[in-house]
Amino acid sequence: MLLNLHVLDLMEVSGSQMRAASSLSMHQTTVSRSYWELAEQFRLQPVRGPRKVCRWGVSSSLRFLRLASRAHRLEDGRLRLATDALHQVLLDGLPGVLQVPPCFHPAGDWATLVAQGVIDGAIVSSLCHEQELAGGELPHWPGVKVLPLGTLPLQLVAHQRWADVWEEQVLLPAAQVMPLLHGQLEPCIDNLERASRVWQDPQAWLEQLHLRPVAVPICPALAPRNWWQEQGLVPVAPQLSMQEQVWLLLPEELQAPAAGKATLRVIQRRAFRAVARGDWALLEALEMVGAGQEAEEEAVA
């Protein structure tokens, strides 16, 4: 039953049976069969209509099973944490963190996933919130506590092969997923393209940058500058100044063991280091990079 529940939980986080199957290295028919076995036991009914979180069905008994499963994970020193492609690096390589496919969700949906016991925590951008908050204010959701991780600058980047022909086309998650990011960009950029729902992994976004002259937002402080340069990424629209607050959402009643608390502290340290880099982490414009390379070549000569 817990295996079937694990399958269902990854379906809820990733948003589809196909992505859950890929993450679990299962065939999609196996995932479907696993879900329907659980649905029959708990009398679950998938929600029809517009996509929403926990759309595969909820019940009181299922939530208690999820809470029991969470207690089982915590006793084993493991946490199921999730985030989107922009912030996945904050979770990469952490011992004791169960792999969850990155996915874009509105902030309220992340809170629901935490409150229902689907995941044990989520790293969430304020740009996914439905409305702007006053300085220092944090959002409130029943059963969820919100820990601030700091404020990070964002940049729009394109691949350097397309930088000279970029025509202000920006690829973004849907407006209902990141409404405040759309609100920041709409007055400045005419062509905001809604990204395909299947582009959830960081690699999928990098591939789009290689294929055509589009730009995407990144948090440059979350990776060393030379990593972005190795990917061939350069900033565009340098006049734009964008920022996000980053939150760690946890269950209100979470009683993590020592190993779990250590993992959460590592996440906080990673985020705080990125925040400390601040504007110093912003990538340089293409002409400045080129000038620096020429200077190095002259010095070598």
Side-chain angles (χ1 to χ4, degrees), residues 127-266:
L127 299 176
C128 298
H129 199 46
E130 58 189 8
Q131 60 187 10
E132 291 213 31
L133 300 173
E137 184 182 358
L138 295 176
H140 297 278
W141 293 285
V144 176
K145 62 180 176 181
V146 181
L147 302 180
L149 295 180
T151 301
L152 292 171
L154 276 74
Q155 277 185 299
L156 292 180
V157 298
H159 195 278
Q160 60 188 14
R161 73 174 66 171
W162 304 113
D164 292 337
V165 295
W166 180 68
E167 296 182 348
E168 295 197 354
Q169 183 174 3
V170 178
L171 196 60
L172 295 175
Q176 61 264 35
V177 175
M178 301 192 85
L180 297 186
L181 180 58
H182 279 256
Q184 288 190 32
L185 292 177
E186 282 169 0
C188 314
I189 304 292
D190 292 330
N191 192 357
L192 299 181
E193 178 185 343
R194 175 176 174 169
S196 168
R197 193 177 283 116
V198 301
W199 298 339
Q200 299 288 350
D201 301 306
Q203 190 59 38
W205 289 82
L206 287 175
E207 288 173 1
Q208 291 304 309
L209 292 178
H210 281 267
L211 291 174
R212 55 201 180 105
V214 295
V216 301
I218 64 164
C219 305
L222 292 180
R225 183 173 297 183
N226 62 351
W227 186 89
W228 300 110
Q229 292 172 348
E230 288 168 5
Q231 309 309 309
L233 304 186
V234 294
V236 295
Q239 75 281 4
L240 280 178
S241 177
M242 299 183 294
Q243 289 187 332
E244 65 169 355
Q245 296 175 52
V246 184
W247 305 318
L248 176 60
L249 274 53
L250 295 171
E252 205 165 47
E253 76 286 357
L254 183 71
Q255 297 294 326
K261 291 178 180 176
T263 297
L264 296 176
R265 285 195 297 268
V266 172

Side-chain angles (χ1 to χ4, degrees), residues 59 105 116 182 292:
S59 69
H105 289 293
Q116 287 290 326
H182 279 256

